[in-house]
Amino acid sequence: MRRILAGLRTFVGSGLFQMPDHPPNRPASRTSKTRDPVLEQRARDMVRELAPSLAPLIVVGWNSRMRTTAGVAIALHREIWLNPALREISLEEVDRTLLHELAHLLALHRHGRRRLAPHGPEWQQACRDLGIPGEGRTHQLPFTARRMKRRYLLRCPGCGESHGRVRVPRRRIACLSCCRTHNRGIYDDRFRFEVIRIEE
Ligand SMILES: [Zn+2]
Ligand SMILES: [Zn+2]
């Protein structure tokens, strides 16, 4: 227990992490938090070999109260909460944020007794181990792009839903809702967005 508390202090004391929406010692009855079994399983699978004792403790879900923060990791409870707005951006963005936060839990699990810089070498190593080397240090949603003029539409060949984009995505991204409905939330090329140029 002492170790966990020390870990929490490390986490919160850095000043760079957003505090949980509710302090851990208060019941979370009024929250808008919803656990997501698919993402939770993905997170657990990702660390199962890296940290077998951590994996089964991990909780992942959505917090609809988040505004500009993409995701938070709450060390004490091994929780990851994501902003539902990520789903409107892309499946890729959801997964990237999930792994970013998971790297925080993994780094703290490995180095719990030490005072860690939030995005220091231990976190960066965890990112490499989770397959996201060079991950950025921000926890903010990529909202800046939304204020720019959207020149492209990404259209899902499955459900036909489309999303405006400022530029063509560099990596392959697919429709989150279709991937969740038809492929257990895993990327599926059948639902890869078609890029449509908008004429001005
Ligand atoms: Zn971070
Ligand atoms: Zn779709």
Side-chain angles (χ1 to χ4, degrees):
M1 190 60 185
R2 197 175 307 147
R3 179 173 179 166
I4 293 170
L5 289 174
L8 178 71
R9 271 195 294 275
T10 303
F11 221 46
V12 169
S14 68
L16 285 171
F17 282 95
Q18 178 169 316
M19 286 292 287
D21 292 302
H22 298 273
N25 59 350
R26 199 181 296 170
S29 54
R30 292 172 296 116
T31 67
S32 339
K33 290 177 177 174
T34 318
R35 278 171 79 167
D36 186 315
V38 174
L39 291 184
E40 201 166 279
Q41 193 58 48
R42 160 119 175 103
R44 292 177 179 193
D45 288 346
M46 285 301 288
V47 294
R48 198 170 305 282
E49 286 183 17
L50 297 165
S53 62
L54 170 67
L57 305 175
I58 292 173
V59 168
V60 180
W62 304 94
N63 183 350
S64 60
R65 289 194 178 173
M66 286 183 171
R67 292 294 170 255
T68 60
T69 302
V72 294
I74 301 173
L76 180 66
H77 299 276
R78 277 85 166 183
E79 290 173 356
I80 293 171
W81 297 104
L82 303 175
N83 189 328
L86 289 167
R87 292 183 288 201
E88 293 162 27
I89 301 172
S90 66
L91 180 62
E92 177 197 50
E93 203 62 32
V94 171
D95 202 51
R96 196 194 54 74
T97 307
L98 174 68
L99 295 180
H100 177 121
E101 303 308 333
L102 188 58
H104 284 302
L105 295 188
L106 180 58
L108 205 75
H109 175 80
R110 287 169 166 172
H111 308 277
R113 286 172 188 276
R114 290 172 46 199
R115 187 173 178 85
L116 300 185
H119 298 104
E122 298 84 0
W123 175 81
Q124 289 165 25
Q125 180 60 50
C127 285
R128 282 192 291 275
D129 295 340
L130 293 171
I132 48 164
E135 166 64 12
R137 295 158 185 242
T138 179
H139 284 230
Q140 298 300 299
L141 281 176
F143 266 154
T144 41
R146 293 183 156 212
R147 292 190 208 100
M148 295 165 69
K149 207 168 175 71
R150 295 164 180 177
R151 291 205 168 82
Y152 298 93
L153 274 185
L154 303 181
R155 189 170 61 194
C156 169
C159 65
E161 214 172 292
S162 60
H163 309 271
R165 272 298 184 87
V166 174
R167 43 184 84 82
V168 177
R170 267 177 287 168
R171 283 180 283 181
R172 295 183 305 165
I173 56 175
C175 173
L176 177 62
S177 57
C178 286
C179 291
R180 289 171 82 92
T181 307
H182 304 292
N183 201 33
R184 290 171 291 125
I186 299 161
Y187 176 90
D188 188 324
D189 215 45
R190 288 178 297 165
F191 308 116
R192 181 176 178 177
F193 284 123
E194 302 163 340
V195 180
I196 300 157
R197 170 91 207 209
I198 303 169
E199 299 300 331
E200 289 165 71

